[in-house]
């Protein structure tokens, strides 16, 4: 009886999960087709991306748009759009009220128009005075020169829902749109589960709902169905305990001390939505030379003796050659040789400009689930009532200084400081503001010292009369938790040694890897990995490559049609992957390739087995 009840409960849970996925992808389709004619048509600009997100009930800031549309982005497809919507959750009423409450210090429920105008025209995505006035003129939430922000939130949420509903209604009433197929869910909706219909939609039978669900949704966490699979292949790799640490890096050149070297630090940062961003670099070689390039997690001197979560994070570096345009980068090689936490490459490169793209799988750098019982104290007042930084906060700031001091000279240049500003506030410090810093904080050679950096943060605390809210915004954006532990970031260091010339490395940007890194990653697996054709299919290939401590699989679709591949890791042992799912599905566009997953050992002290079945639906 208990087993029967458990099976019934599991069945109901799966039905609920499928229903939620169906609703999610119906909303995705509705929003996408409000702006674009077909699911096969790509988003071609930032403006289109902003419009389609708004149709899905999001209100993206420019910072959010820039996060997904980087300098290397030329287009985004429907799959990309669905992934963005999963990450960018719509704001809830409580979140909106909490944001307004931080401005309304009196908790009166109102904000003066003057205060609102000042905030909206000077912070974040700055609005014009005319745009703010158009808001304050709305009678529904305007009260004697003040904004009733509770009513404003209600109007905002209802308008958002009306926008989403209008898109759904259009999808339901347009037969041409309803026939389009999207995403990678091809399993049937469970018995007893029907897709939600608009009030104005025509009557639909269970058969119609069934048809809509088939091929119309993209659930990333769906059990694989053997009955629905046309072709499949299984790949198994057994890795002995700690053998991933026994792959030795080629011994460094005997004459390495005579070579000329360059070094730069950087950091992987985990975004709120789970995406990973990092510094990107340009390498200049004045002449052809033998090279020795390594990357590893950076062991911060001040952090020794503490719990350094990031030291177990895997790192890699992809080397790309710049040709006529930055958009056309060619993969040269990558750091595939491993010695403990260090990955390296040794070879020869001709003169010219190269791009260095850092990479981590995300298997070990992921959102922290552990609840922090308390919050560390950042500031305190001395006997005279003067604010001071706590010992723990000072230590964290000094660790941060080491991380953002990219050239490791013990000083922060304006360029280095601006990477810090972009990460924590989304804005840059210009020359005029830097000159003001020079007048108020300790600098040497026009670069900020450690003491100057500490004093700058103390001034920020004084500006808010000891309120640590802004300081926590900075810390959280840099990967720290409330216990002042860096758990959602991984600082790293890159070393480059050249035999016949002086290499020059320069950090260019701080952003997600984008399409260039994805292509380089796929190409590296195709070049080095083992290829298997899906049994029963001549045009779908699964490429698997083991590089040191990780295994990466890539799906290559040589056919003229998009394909849906179910991925099942249920037979793997002692493994974790970057998706955080045992079973999932992916859609691969025609004539393209994409990463299926990255896999690493859960516990490197024990043997681990990668056993994965890829099935064509």
């Amino acid at each position: 009886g208990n087993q029967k009840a458990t099976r019934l409960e599991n069945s109901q849970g799966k039905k609920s999960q499928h229903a939620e996925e169906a609703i999610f992808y119906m909303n995705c389709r509705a929003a996408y087709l409000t702006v674009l004619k077909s699911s096969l048509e790509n988003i071609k600009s930032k403006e289109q991306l902003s419009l389609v997100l708004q149709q899905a009930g999001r209100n993206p800031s420019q910072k959010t748009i820039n996060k997904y549309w980087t300098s290397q982005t030329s287009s985004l497809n429907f799959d990309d759009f669905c992934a963005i919507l999963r990450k960018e959750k719509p704001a809830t009423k409580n979140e909106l009220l909490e944001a307004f409450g931080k401005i309304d210090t009196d908790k009166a429920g109102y904000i003066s128009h003057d205060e609102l105008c000042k905030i909206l025209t000077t912070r974040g995505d700055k609005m014009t005075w005319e745009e703010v006035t158009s808001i304050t003129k709305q009678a529904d939430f305007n009260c004697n020169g003040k904004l009733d922000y509770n009513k404003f939130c209600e109007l905002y949420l209802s308008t958002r829902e009306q926008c989403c509903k209008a898109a759904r209604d259009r999808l339901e009433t347009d037969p041409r749109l309803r026939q389009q197929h999207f995403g990678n869910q091809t399993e049937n909706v469970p018995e007893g589960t029907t897709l939600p219909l608009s009030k104005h939609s025509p009557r639909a039978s269970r058969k119609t709902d069934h048809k809509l669900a088939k091929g119309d949704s993209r659930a990333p966490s769906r059990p694989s169905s053997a009955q629905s699979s046309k072709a499949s292949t299984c790949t198994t790799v057994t890795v002995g305990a700690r053998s991933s640490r026994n792959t030795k890096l080629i011994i460094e050149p005997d004459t390495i001390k005579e070579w000329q070297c360059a070094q730069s630090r950087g950091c992987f940062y985990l975004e709120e939505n789970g995406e990973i961003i990092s510094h990107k670099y340009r390498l200049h070689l004045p002449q052809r030379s033998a090279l020795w390039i390594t990357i590893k997690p950076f062991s911060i001197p001040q952090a020794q003796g503490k719990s350094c979560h990031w030291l177990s994070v895997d790192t890699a570096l992809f080397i790309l050659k710049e040709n006529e345009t930055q958009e056309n980068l060619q993969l040269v090689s990558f750091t595939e040789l491993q010695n403990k936490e260090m990955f390296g490459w040794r070879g020869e490169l001709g003169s010219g400009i190269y791009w260095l793209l850092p990479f981590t799988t995300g298997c070990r750098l992921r959102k922290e689930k552990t609840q922090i019982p308390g919050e560390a104290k950042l500031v305190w007042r001395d006997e005279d009532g003067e604010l001071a930084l706590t010992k723990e906060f000072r230590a964290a700031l000094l660790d941060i200084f080491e991380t953002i001091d990219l050239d490791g000279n013990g000083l922060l240049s304006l360029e280095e400081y601006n990477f810090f500003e972009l990460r924590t506030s989304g804005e840059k410090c210009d020359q005029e503001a830097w000159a003001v810093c020079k007048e108020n904080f300790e600098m040497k050679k026009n670069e900020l010292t450690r003491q100057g950096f500490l004093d700058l943060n103390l001034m920020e605390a004084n500006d808010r009369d000891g309120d640590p809210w802004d300081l926590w915004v900075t810390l959280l954006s840099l990967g720290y938790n409330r216990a002042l532990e860096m758990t959602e970031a991984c600082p790293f260091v890159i070393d480059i040694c050249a035999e016949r010339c002086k290499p020059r490395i320069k950090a260019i940007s701080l952003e997600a890897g984008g399409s260039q890194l994805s292509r380089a990653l796929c190409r590296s697996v195709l070049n080095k990995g083992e290829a298997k054709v899906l049994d029963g299919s001549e045009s779908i290939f699964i490429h698997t490559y083991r590089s040191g401590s990780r295994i990466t699989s890539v799906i290559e679709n040589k056919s003229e049609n998009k394909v849906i591949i179910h991925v099942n890791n249920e037979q793997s042992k002692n493994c974790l992957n970057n998706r955080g799912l045992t079973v999932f599905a992916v859609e691969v566009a025609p004539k393209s390739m994409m990463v299926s997953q990255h896999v690493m050992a859960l516990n490197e002290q024990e043997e681990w087995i990668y056993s994965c079945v890829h099935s064509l639906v």
Side-chain angles (χ1 to χ4, degrees), residues 203-222:
R203 180 174 59 87
S205 65
R206 180 181 298 264
K207 182 178 179 181
T208 305
D209 290 338
H210 210 66
K211 182 179 177 181
L212 278 175
K214 187 166 185 176
D216 268 21
S217 302
R218 265 191 355 127
S221 54
R222 185 177 312 103

Side-chain angles (χ1 to χ4, degrees), residues 72 317-334 345 349 353-357 515-524 527:
Q72 297 177 345
L317 198 62
F318 286 82
I319 307 165
L320 286 74
K321 179 72 168 68
E322 183 173 292
N323 296 319
E324 295 178 0
T325 62
Q326 182 182 327
E327 289 74 25
N328 186 25
L329 300 180
Q330 180 182 357
L331 175 66
V332 175
S333 193
F334 62 101
W345 176 81
L349 295 179
I353 302 296
Y354 297 83
W355 282 79
L356 303 180
L357 306 184
S515 58
Q516 293 284 9
L517 180 57
S518 296
R519 282 196 294 269
L521 188 57
C522 288
R523 183 54 58 190
S524 69
N527 291 344

Side-chain angles (χ1 to χ4, degrees), residues 32-319:
Y32 202 80
L33 293 180
T34 301
V35 179
L36 298 150
K37 295 179 181 179
S38 163
S39 66
L40 300 178
E41 185 177 345
N42 289 344
I43 299 169
K44 296 292 183 60
S45 67
K46 287 185 176 182
E47 291 72 25
Q48 273 193 336
L49 176 58
S50 181
L51 280 174
V52 77
L53 286 174
Q54 288 170 2
Q55 291 297 330
R58 307 317 193 253
N59 186 28
S61 65
Q62 193 58 48
K63 182 180 179 181
T64 299
I65 296 296
N66 291 340
K67 181 166 62 176
Y68 297 107
W69 195 281
T70 70
S71 58
Q72 297 177 345
T73 306
S74 58
S75 65
L76 295 171
N77 60 27
F78 178 73
D79 286 339
D80 298 326
F81 171 66
C82 292
I84 292 172
L85 286 191
R86 281 198 178 280
K87 297 172 183 176
E88 301 297 330
K89 304 295 184 184
T92 64
K93 184 175 181 180
N94 286 340
E95 289 171 340
L96 292 171
L97 291 176
E98 183 180 349
F100 278 113
K102 290 173 181 175
I103 304 170
D104 177 23
T105 55
D106 296 332
K107 307 303 178 187
Y110 300 93
I111 300 173
S112 72
H113 290 173
D114 289 342
E115 179 69 11
L116 181 68
C117 185
K118 179 181 177 182
I119 292 170
L120 295 182
T121 57
T122 59
R123 297 185 187 178
D125 289 348
K126 301 177 182 64
M127 298 174 66
T128 65
W129 185 86
E130 290 78 11
E131 289 172 330
V132 178
T133 302
S134 68
I135 294 176
T136 57
K137 283 183 178 179
Q138 293 287 332
D140 288 343
F141 47 82
N142 199 9
C143 182
N144 299 324
K146 295 181 179 180
L147 175 79
D148 184 334
Y149 56 81
N150 193 64
K151 288 184 178 179
F152 173 80
C153 291
E154 291 176 355
L155 179 64
Y156 170 81
L157 294 173
S158 64
T159 303
R160 184 176 73 190
E161 178 52 35
Q162 288 171 13
C163 181
C164 294
K165 182 178 180 301
R168 290 195 299 268
D169 288 350
R170 180 172 177 268
L171 179 67
E172 289 295 337
T173 55
D174 190 330
R176 179 184 61 84
L177 297 180
R178 290 183 64 183
Q179 290 172 0
Q180 294 203 39
H181 293 271
F182 295 80
N184 63 8
Q185 176 177 333
T186 60
E187 293 181 335
N188 297 331
V189 173
E191 284 298 313
T193 302
T194 55
L195 291 174
L197 296 175
S198 164
K199 291 181 181 178
H200 304 292
S201 63
R203 180 174 59 87
S205 65
R206 180 181 298 264
K207 182 178 179 181
T208 305
D209 290 338
H210 210 66
K211 182 179 177 181
L212 278 175
K214 187 166 185 176
D216 268 21
S217 302
R218 265 191 355 127
S221 54
R222 185 177 312 103
S224 179
S225 171
Q227 289 85 351
S228 65
S229 299
K230 298 177 182 177
S232 67
T233 187
C234 178
T235 302
T236 301
V237 179
T238 301
V239 184
R242 292 188 63 84
S243 70
S244 61
R245 295 298 190 185
N246 294 333
T247 305
K248 293 296 184 181
L249 193 64
I250 297 175
I251 299 173
E252 64 183 26
D254 294 334
T255 58
I256 191 72
K257 293 181 179 179
E258 300 172 12
W259 291 22
Q260 299 185 69
C261 299
Q263 184 185 86
S264 184
R265 299 171 185 174
C267 196
F268 295 110
Y269 294 110
L270 190 59
E271 295 279 50
E272 187 63 32
N273 55 28
E275 186 177 35
I276 297 173
I277 70 170
S278 76
H279 294 84
K280 294 181 179 180
Y281 304 84
R282 184 179 282 145
L283 170 66
H284 175 247
L285 294 177
Q287 69 180 74
R288 189 173 191 84
S289 176
L291 287 178
W292 172 259
I293 299 176
T294 63
I295 181 172
K296 65 178 180 180
F298 177 44
S299 182
I300 301 172
Q302 283 82 358
Q304 291 181 1
K306 302 178 185 176
S307 177
C308 301
H309 304 261
W310 67 87
L311 291 180
S312 65
V313 172
D314 59 291
T315 61
L317 198 62
F318 286 82
I319 307 165

